[in-house]
Amino acid sequence: NLQILTPTSSGKTLCYNYATHYTTRSSKNVIIIVPTKALGNHILSTFPPYPTSKISVYNGDTPHSTRSHILKTSNVIITNPDTLHYNLLPLQSRWLDSVGLIIIDEIHTWKSIGFDVRGLIKRVECKGREIKVV
């Protein structure tokens, strides 16, 4: 596990882009947790085109008709804590069983919005999954 604390625009995203590529190359899935939909959309639009990574946004704005397709075709999901807690974790899907990396972006903002990200990660890790957290 790793925590990176550097100023804005100093390259933190490059670190987790590499970790994402490395994880998907090992046939594991990645969850990127972001505090806002705008940040999630920005990450999606700037994510490098790695051949082993198929990235999608899965949040409250994602149409119900495409959610199962995303889980079948994507190995990197950008989401927020609410969607992870209320929509993804209850599925207990094979997709979640293959998670190898959780990235928490803008971690300094989580306490101020009152979400217990630590508890959420523990729920993903249950069932003895070995997951790295960045």
Side-chain angles (χ1 to χ4, degrees), residues 34 36-37 41 57-67 70 77-84 86-88:
V34 296
T36 65
K37 292 175 187 175
N41 290 330
V57 172
Y58 190 117
N59 61 32
D61 291 343
T62 304
H64 288 277
S65 60
T66 62
R67 291 180 180 196
I70 288 172
I77 289 181
I78 302 169
T79 192
N80 58 54
D82 286 331
T83 301
L84 182 59
Y86 292 111
N87 298 111
L88 288 169

mmCIF file of all heavy atoms in Angstrom, residues 34 36-37 41 57-67 70 77-84 86-88:
data_model
loop_
_atom_site.group_PDB
_atom_site.id
_atom_site.type_symbol
_atom_site.label_atom_id
_atom_site.label_comp_id
_atom_site.label_asym_id
_atom_site.label_seq_id
_atom_site.Cartn_x
_atom_site.Cartn_y
_atom_site.Cartn_z
ATOM 1 N N VAL A 34 -13.239 8.473 -6.474
ATOM 2 C CA VAL A 34 -13.066 9.924 -6.562
ATOM 3 C C VAL A 34 -14.185 10.626 -5.800
ATOM 4 O O VAL A 34 -15.274 10.081 -5.662
ATOM 5 C CB VAL A 34 -13.045 10.397 -8.038
ATOM 6 C CG1 VAL A 34 -11.852 9.823 -8.782
ATOM 7 C CG2 VAL A 34 -14.328 10.028 -8.753
ATOM 8 N N THR A 36 -15.720 13.510 -6.666
ATOM 9 C CA THR A 36 -16.689 14.227 -7.503
ATOM 10 C C THR A 36 -16.801 13.587 -8.878
ATOM 11 O O THR A 36 -15.840 12.999 -9.386
ATOM 12 C CB THR A 36 -16.282 15.707 -7.698
ATOM 13 O OG1 THR A 36 -15.054 15.751 -8.438
ATOM 14 C CG2 THR A 36 -16.116 16.428 -6.365
ATOM 15 N N LYS A 37 -17.954 13.739 -9.488
ATOM 16 C CA LYS A 37 -18.167 13.231 -10.837
ATOM 17 C C LYS A 37 -17.262 13.946 -11.834
ATOM 18 O O LYS A 37 -16.756 13.337 -12.773
ATOM 19 C CB LYS A 37 -19.627 13.398 -11.238
ATOM 20 C CG LYS A 37 -20.562 12.513 -10.453
ATOM 21 C CD LYS A 37 -22.002 12.805 -10.792
ATOM 22 C CE LYS A 37 -22.918 12.036 -9.863
ATOM 23 N NZ LYS A 37 -24.320 12.383 -10.081
ATOM 24 N N ASN A 41 -14.758 12.137 -14.493
ATOM 25 C CA ASN A 41 -14.801 12.364 -15.942
ATOM 26 C C ASN A 41 -13.471 12.885 -16.469
ATOM 27 O O ASN A 41 -13.054 12.540 -17.570
ATOM 28 C CB ASN A 41 -15.939 13.319 -16.296
ATOM 29 C CG ASN A 41 -17.293 12.674 -16.085
ATOM 30 O OD1 ASN A 41 -17.441 11.462 -16.224
ATOM 31 N ND2 ASN A 41 -18.282 13.477 -15.745
ATOM 32 N N VAL A 57 -16.555 4.922 -16.373
ATOM 33 C CA VAL A 57 -17.120 5.588 -15.202
ATOM 34 C C VAL A 57 -18.403 4.848 -14.827
ATOM 35 O O VAL A 57 -19.220 4.529 -15.686
ATOM 36 C CB VAL A 57 -17.419 7.072 -15.487
ATOM 37 C CG1 VAL A 57 -18.189 7.705 -14.345
ATOM 38 C CG2 VAL A 57 -16.124 7.841 -15.739
ATOM 39 N N TYR A 58 -18.545 4.555 -13.533
ATOM 40 C CA TYR A 58 -19.733 3.877 -13.014
ATOM 41 C C TYR A 58 -20.173 4.667 -11.792
ATOM 42 O O TYR A 58 -19.583 4.556 -10.725
ATOM 43 C CB TYR A 58 -19.374 2.445 -12.649
ATOM 44 C CG TYR A 58 -20.529 1.528 -12.312
ATOM 45 C CD1 TYR A 58 -20.793 0.429 -13.099
ATOM 46 C CD2 TYR A 58 -21.322 1.730 -11.195
ATOM 47 C CE1 TYR A 58 -21.823 -0.447 -12.794
ATOM 48 C CE2 TYR A 58 -22.360 0.867 -10.883
ATOM 49 C CZ TYR A 58 -22.598 -0.224 -11.686
ATOM 50 O OH TYR A 58 -23.616 -1.091 -11.373
ATOM 51 N N ASN A 59 -21.193 5.524 -11.965
ATOM 52 C CA ASN A 59 -21.676 6.330 -10.845
ATOM 53 C C ASN A 59 -23.188 6.482 -10.950
ATOM 54 O O ASN A 59 -23.825 5.789 -11.751
ATOM 55 C CB ASN A 59 -20.964 7.697 -10.800
ATOM 56 C CG ASN A 59 -21.182 8.528 -12.042
ATOM 57 O OD1 ASN A 59 -22.214 8.466 -12.681
ATOM 58 N ND2 ASN A 59 -20.179 9.319 -12.395
ATOM 59 N N GLY A 60 -23.755 7.357 -10.177
ATOM 60 C CA GLY A 60 -25.195 7.538 -10.170
ATOM 61 C C GLY A 60 -25.766 7.996 -11.496
ATOM 62 O O GLY A 60 -26.952 7.796 -11.769
ATOM 63 N N ASP A 61 -24.946 8.598 -12.348
ATOM 64 C CA ASP A 61 -25.401 9.044 -13.661
ATOM 65 C C ASP A 61 -25.321 7.945 -14.718
ATOM 66 O O ASP A 61 -25.800 8.125 -15.835
ATOM 67 C CB ASP A 61 -24.578 10.237 -14.144
ATOM 68 C CG ASP A 61 -24.856 11.498 -13.335
ATOM 69 O OD1 ASP A 61 -25.891 11.541 -12.640
ATOM 70 O OD2 ASP A 61 -24.029 12.425 -13.410
ATOM 71 N N THR A 62 -24.694 6.827 -14.384
ATOM 72 C CA THR A 62 -24.565 5.732 -15.345
ATOM 73 C C THR A 62 -25.929 5.083 -15.548
ATOM 74 O O THR A 62 -26.554 4.644 -14.575
ATOM 75 C CB THR A 62 -23.559 4.679 -14.833
ATOM 76 O OG1 THR A 62 -22.312 5.322 -14.560
ATOM 77 C CG2 THR A 62 -23.360 3.576 -15.855
ATOM 78 N N PRO A 63 -26.411 5.026 -16.781
ATOM 79 C CA PRO A 63 -27.730 4.420 -17.019
ATOM 80 C C PRO A 63 -27.762 2.961 -16.547
ATOM 81 O O PRO A 63 -26.798 2.216 -16.735
ATOM 82 C CB PRO A 63 -27.893 4.490 -18.539
ATOM 83 C CG PRO A 63 -26.930 5.537 -18.996
ATOM 84 C CD PRO A 63 -25.795 5.515 -18.013
ATOM 85 N N HIS A 64 -28.854 2.571 -15.943
ATOM 86 C CA HIS A 64 -28.999 1.196 -15.453
ATOM 87 C C HIS A 64 -28.834 0.192 -16.593
ATOM 88 O O HIS A 64 -28.334 -0.910 -16.381
ATOM 89 C CB HIS A 64 -30.346 1.020 -14.760
ATOM 90 C CG HIS A 64 -30.409 1.713 -13.438
ATOM 91 N ND1 HIS A 64 -29.921 1.165 -12.279
ATOM 92 C CD2 HIS A 64 -30.875 2.939 -13.094
ATOM 93 C CE1 HIS A 64 -30.089 2.007 -11.279
ATOM 94 N NE2 HIS A 64 -30.664 3.096 -11.750
ATOM 95 N N SER A 65 -29.216 0.592 -17.781
ATOM 96 C CA SER A 65 -29.142 -0.315 -18.930
ATOM 97 C C SER A 65 -27.705 -0.630 -19.348
ATOM 98 O O SER A 65 -27.473 -1.618 -20.042
ATOM 99 C CB SER A 65 -29.902 0.281 -20.113
ATOM 100 O OG SER A 65 -29.350 1.527 -20.479
ATOM 101 N N THR A 66 -26.723 0.186 -18.953
ATOM 102 C CA THR A 66 -25.337 -0.066 -19.356
ATOM 103 C C THR A 66 -24.462 -0.583 -18.218
ATOM 104 O O THR A 66 -23.315 -0.948 -18.450
ATOM 105 C CB THR A 66 -24.689 1.217 -19.919
ATOM 106 O OG1 THR A 66 -24.672 2.208 -18.894
ATOM 107 C CG2 THR A 66 -25.437 1.727 -21.127
ATOM 108 N N ARG A 67 -24.978 -0.629 -17.004
ATOM 109 C CA ARG A 67 -24.148 -1.011 -15.858
ATOM 110 C C ARG A 67 -23.604 -2.436 -15.970
ATOM 111 O O ARG A 67 -22.424 -2.669 -15.712
ATOM 112 C CB ARG A 67 -24.916 -0.814 -14.563
ATOM 113 C CG ARG A 67 -25.141 0.647 -14.270
ATOM 114 C CD ARG A 67 -25.907 0.872 -13.001
ATOM 115 N NE ARG A 67 -26.091 2.306 -12.792
ATOM 116 C CZ ARG A 67 -26.436 2.846 -11.652
ATOM 117 N NH1 ARG A 67 -26.653 2.087 -10.597
ATOM 118 N NH2 ARG A 67 -26.573 4.145 -11.551
ATOM 119 N N ILE A 70 -20.806 -2.575 -18.488
ATOM 120 C CA ILE A 70 -19.546 -2.026 -17.970
ATOM 121 C C ILE A 70 -18.809 -3.086 -17.163
ATOM 122 O O ILE A 70 -17.599 -3.276 -17.317
ATOM 123 C CB ILE A 70 -19.798 -0.758 -17.125
ATOM 124 C CG1 ILE A 70 -20.192 0.400 -18.030
ATOM 125 C CG2 ILE A 70 -18.580 -0.398 -16.279
ATOM 126 C CD1 ILE A 70 -20.657 1.639 -17.301
ATOM 127 N N ILE A 77 -12.706 0.736 -13.129
ATOM 128 C CA ILE A 77 -13.934 1.497 -12.915
ATOM 129 C C ILE A 77 -13.632 2.710 -12.055
ATOM 130 O O ILE A 77 -13.008 2.588 -10.998
ATOM 131 C CB ILE A 77 -15.022 0.629 -12.258
ATOM 132 C CG1 ILE A 77 -15.539 -0.385 -13.270
ATOM 133 C CG2 ILE A 77 -16.167 1.490 -11.732
ATOM 134 C CD1 ILE A 77 -16.638 -1.277 -12.749
ATOM 135 N N ILE A 78 -14.062 3.860 -12.536
ATOM 136 C CA ILE A 78 -13.989 5.101 -11.767
ATOM 137 C C ILE A 78 -15.356 5.278 -11.121
ATOM 138 O O ILE A 78 -16.380 5.285 -11.813
ATOM 139 C CB ILE A 78 -13.681 6.306 -12.673
ATOM 140 C CG1 ILE A 78 -12.363 6.096 -13.416
ATOM 141 C CG2 ILE A 78 -13.652 7.596 -11.846
ATOM 142 C CD1 ILE A 78 -12.122 7.115 -14.511
ATOM 143 N N THR A 79 -15.381 5.421 -9.811
ATOM 144 C CA THR A 79 -16.646 5.536 -9.111
ATOM 145 C C THR A 79 -16.490 6.468 -7.913
ATOM 146 O O THR A 79 -15.428 7.031 -7.685
ATOM 147 C CB THR A 79 -17.164 4.144 -8.691
ATOM 148 O OG1 THR A 79 -18.520 4.250 -8.255
ATOM 149 C CG2 THR A 79 -16.298 3.517 -7.618
ATOM 150 N N ASN A 80 -17.559 6.618 -7.165
ATOM 151 C CA ASN A 80 -17.524 7.411 -5.945
ATOM 152 C C ASN A 80 -17.926 6.499 -4.787
ATOM 153 O O ASN A 80 -18.417 5.395 -5.015
ATOM 154 C CB ASN A 80 -18.433 8.640 -6.068
ATOM 155 C CG ASN A 80 -19.857 8.253 -6.366
ATOM 156 O OD1 ASN A 80 -20.475 7.471 -5.667
ATOM 157 N ND2 ASN A 80 -20.398 8.802 -7.445
ATOM 158 N N PRO A 81 -17.708 6.919 -3.553
ATOM 159 C CA PRO A 81 -17.992 6.028 -2.419
ATOM 160 C C PRO A 81 -19.450 5.588 -2.343
ATOM 161 O O PRO A 81 -19.728 4.441 -2.030
ATOM 162 C CB PRO A 81 -17.610 6.839 -1.191
ATOM 163 C CG PRO A 81 -16.924 8.039 -1.656
ATOM 164 C CD PRO A 81 -17.113 8.174 -3.125
ATOM 165 N N ASP A 82 -20.378 6.485 -2.640
ATOM 166 C CA ASP A 82 -21.796 6.116 -2.566
ATOM 167 C C ASP A 82 -22.147 5.008 -3.559
ATOM 168 O O ASP A 82 -22.823 4.040 -3.210
ATOM 169 C CB ASP A 82 -22.693 7.329 -2.829
ATOM 170 C CG ASP A 82 -22.715 8.292 -1.662
ATOM 171 O OD1 ASP A 82 -22.537 7.839 -0.519
ATOM 172 O OD2 ASP A 82 -22.898 9.494 -1.897
ATOM 173 N N THR A 83 -21.706 5.155 -4.789
ATOM 174 C CA THR A 83 -22.011 4.141 -5.796
ATOM 175 C C THR A 83 -21.333 2.822 -5.467
ATOM 176 O O THR A 83 -21.930 1.758 -5.629
ATOM 177 C CB THR A 83 -21.596 4.624 -7.197
ATOM 178 O OG1 THR A 83 -22.295 5.835 -7.488
ATOM 179 C CG2 THR A 83 -21.916 3.600 -8.263
ATOM 180 N N LEU A 84 -20.119 2.869 -4.979
ATOM 181 C CA LEU A 84 -19.432 1.647 -4.574
ATOM 182 C C LEU A 84 -20.199 0.957 -3.446
ATOM 183 O O LEU A 84 -20.458 -0.242 -3.491
ATOM 184 C CB LEU A 84 -17.998 1.959 -4.145
ATOM 185 C CG LEU A 84 -17.128 0.780 -3.725
ATOM 186 C CD1 LEU A 84 -17.003 -0.246 -4.850
ATOM 187 C CD2 LEU A 84 -15.750 1.277 -3.316
ATOM 188 N N TYR A 86 -23.474 1.449 -2.340
ATOM 189 C CA TYR A 86 -24.884 1.105 -2.553
ATOM 190 C C TYR A 86 -25.157 0.297 -3.824
ATOM 191 O O TYR A 86 -26.179 -0.379 -3.899
ATOM 192 C CB TYR A 86 -25.743 2.373 -2.587
ATOM 193 C CG TYR A 86 -25.806 3.064 -1.253
ATOM 194 C CD1 TYR A 86 -25.184 4.285 -1.056
ATOM 195 C CD2 TYR A 86 -26.467 2.476 -0.180
ATOM 196 C CE1 TYR A 86 -25.231 4.916 0.178
ATOM 197 C CE2 TYR A 86 -26.524 3.098 1.065
ATOM 198 C CZ TYR A 86 -25.904 4.313 1.232
ATOM 199 O OH TYR A 86 -25.946 4.925 2.450
ATOM 200 N N ASN A 87 -24.288 0.383 -4.826
ATOM 201 C CA ASN A 87 -24.567 -0.284 -6.100
ATOM 202 C C ASN A 87 -23.607 -1.411 -6.459
ATOM 203 O O ASN A 87 -24.037 -2.425 -6.995
ATOM 204 C CB ASN A 87 -24.587 0.731 -7.245
ATOM 205 C CG ASN A 87 -25.679 1.759 -7.081
ATOM 206 O OD1 ASN A 87 -25.392 2.927 -6.828
ATOM 207 N ND2 ASN A 87 -26.920 1.342 -7.193
ATOM 208 N N LEU A 88 -22.311 -1.223 -6.198
ATOM 209 C CA LEU A 88 -21.350 -2.243 -6.614
ATOM 210 C C LEU A 88 -21.140 -3.337 -5.561
ATOM 211 O O LEU A 88 -21.167 -4.524 -5.890
ATOM 212 C CB LEU A 88 -20.007 -1.592 -6.963
ATOM 213 C CG LEU A 88 -20.002 -0.794 -8.258
ATOM 214 C CD1 LEU A 88 -18.733 0.038 -8.380
ATOM 215 C CD2 LEU A 88 -20.147 -1.718 -9.448
#
